[in-house]
Amino acid sequence: MALLLAPALLGPFAAAQAQQRSIAFQGTTRNYILHVPKNLPPGPRPLVVALHGALQPASIMQRYLDLDAVADREGFVVAYPKGINLIWNDGRASVAGFLPILDARDDAGFVLAVRDELVAQGLADPGRSYLMGFSNGGFLTAFVACRHADAFAAFATMMMTVPVGYAESCRPSKPVPILMMNGTYDPIVPMFGRPTPGARLMSARESAELFARIDGCASAQVSQAPNTRIYRFDRCAGGAAVAYYEIAGGHQPPAQSVDAGDALAALLLGPRRSGLDAPNEIWSFFKRYGTPTVPETPPGTEALVAAGTAATSQPLPLRPGAAASRTVTTLASVPLPMASPLRRKSASAE
């Protein structure tokens, strides 16, 4: 559950490059928001699919998380799928312990369909696609990681602990790089775990240790960050890693800075901590994984591309089992520009 509406009271939602998109899926129309940074070089780009929490509109998730700023700086695209009635069927019988899943829709399949559509259009690189989710969206992220590990290069969850049954049912097809964040004062998804209708939840530490066992990782190395203890399970099979961030906060991802809206949300969700920025931490983890499907073009090739001599026509691979895409024409990719300084949020900007 994630009633993160307070930040919307501070100003209009602004995302100049946001596109409202629809996709036909299993006989119905499903929707998502797509953020594409300006002036991207040609060719498929890394893709981050970000899943909102329960009762949290995707547009509010987009505004609240500030992932778009990282995407603009680093040159990747972001898709924000929309759950039906603001809820995901995340593999449990209920959401937040009291919202029953009445419609057994395949939300995992919908997430994969969004990814596949963007790959088929030549916008997303299938070798550098990533999935993250908050709260209810985090549960769905873990569900996809257990059952469709081949579709994404890495995963991240915020304010989620896995059901106890995953100790037996989670059998990913390959080692799963995953970053997990949990708050020590989270009143919605307590870090120590709890029983809920339809699924008893592990503690946050047990959840991280489960993926570390699945990935065959060595013992965790512990470090400190602002308001955070970090457990890093490295030396895992296949080059994977598990990172667990234990944050001295509530049911809110940490941010580079916080403001009055975060304090208002804290009355229900617990405090939001500053100093450590969730989207920056997650992207730093994600970009360690994945291989470009279309190799980067050496510097100086831009002129050839502009002249039309570097165009290629080739089918873009989808995840195993997906429908074959049409052949699309793509242009060779060029290196990203130098990263600009991190943009600090301010109360005036909010």
Side-chain angles (χ1 to χ4, degrees):
M1 182 179 182
L3 299 172
L4 297 179
L5 305 181
L9 303 176
L10 303 179
F13 170 67
Q17 299 92 8
Q19 306 172 21
Q20 299 289 335
R21 289 195 167 198
S22 298
I23 183 173
F25 178 72
Q26 295 185 343
T28 188
T29 299
R30 300 293 300 267
N31 304 299
Y32 66 97
I33 300 170
L34 182 68
H35 175 83
V36 180
K38 293 180 179 178
N39 304 317
L40 277 182
R45 307 308 304 167
L47 166 70
V48 174
V49 179
L51 306 179
H52 62 77
L55 307 184
Q56 179 190 43
S59 60
I60 298 300
M61 165 78 164
Q62 182 183 23
R63 175 73 171 86
Y64 177 80
L65 192 60
D66 210 20
L67 178 62
D68 291 353
V70 184
D72 292 343
R73 185 189 75 226
E74 298 287 337
F76 62 88
V77 298
V78 189
Y80 300 90
K82 299 181 179 182
I84 295 177
N85 298 323
L86 306 183
I87 290 176
W88 298 111
N89 180 11
D90 61 20
R92 297 175 293 162
S94 66
V95 174
F98 69 92
L99 297 172
I101 298 296
L102 301 178
D103 180 5
R105 58 187 180 271
D106 181 10
D107 280 338
F110 166 51
V111 170
L112 298 178
V114 170
R115 180 261 191 197
D116 289 344
E117 177 177 79
L118 296 174
V119 169
Q121 292 173 352
L123 182 60
D125 186 338
R128 293 181 294 170
S129 295
Y130 310 93
L131 179 64
M132 63 181 290
F134 173 68
S135 194
N136 182 202
F139 283 96
L140 181 55
T141 297
F143 183 85
V144 173
C146 289
R147 291 160 176 80
H148 306 283
D150 59 288
F152 296 96
F155 301 82
T157 67
M158 297 174 289
M159 314 314 163
M160 180 281 315
T161 67
V162 301
V164 170
Y166 280 26
E168 299 298 329
S169 66
C170 186
R171 294 290 183 267
S173 58
K174 66 180 182 65
V176 175
I178 187 168
L179 182 151
M180 309 174 80
M181 290 185 173
N182 287 88
T184 57
Y185 310 122
D186 189 339
I188 308 299
V189 182
M191 64 170 290
F192 50 79
R194 68 182 174 95
T196 63
R200 186 165 64 90
L201 303 180
M202 295 183 183
S203 71
R205 183 85 61 82
E206 290 171 336
S207 299
E209 291 172 346
L210 171 63
F211 279 102
R213 289 196 301 273
I214 289 172
D215 290 352
C217 302
S219 299
Q221 301 295 315
V222 184
S223 61
Q224 298 288 332
N227 299 305
T228 305
R229 181 182 291 111
I230 305 174
Y231 298 81
R232 298 188 187 277
F233 300 84
D234 294 314
R235 291 179 289 161
C236 308
V242 176
Y244 166 52
Y245 286 59
E246 190 174 273
I247 300 159
H251 194 73
Q252 301 199 68
Q256 200 167 343
S257 61
V258 297
D259 55 30
D262 299 311
L264 180 60
L267 298 175
L268 175 64
L269 303 173
R272 190 180 196 188
R273 297 304 187 191
S274 63
L276 187 78
D277 188 61
N280 274 296
E281 291 292 317
I282 290 171
W283 176 247
S284 294
F285 182 82
F286 279 172
K287 68 182 181 181
R288 294 164 50 189
Y289 300 97
T291 303
T293 302
V294 179
E296 298 288 342
T297 303
T301 311
E302 295 91 331
L304 295 178
V305 174
T309 61
T312 62
S313 181
Q314 60 182 6
L316 290 174
L318 300 177
R319 60 183 174 83
S325 69
R326 58 182 174 83
T327 298
V328 298
T329 298
T330 64
L331 296 178
S333 177
V334 297
L336 297 178
M338 292 294 293
S340 61
L342 295 178
R343 181 175 66 83
R344 295 190 60 85
K345 295 190 294 182
S346 63
S348 61
E350 295 293 315

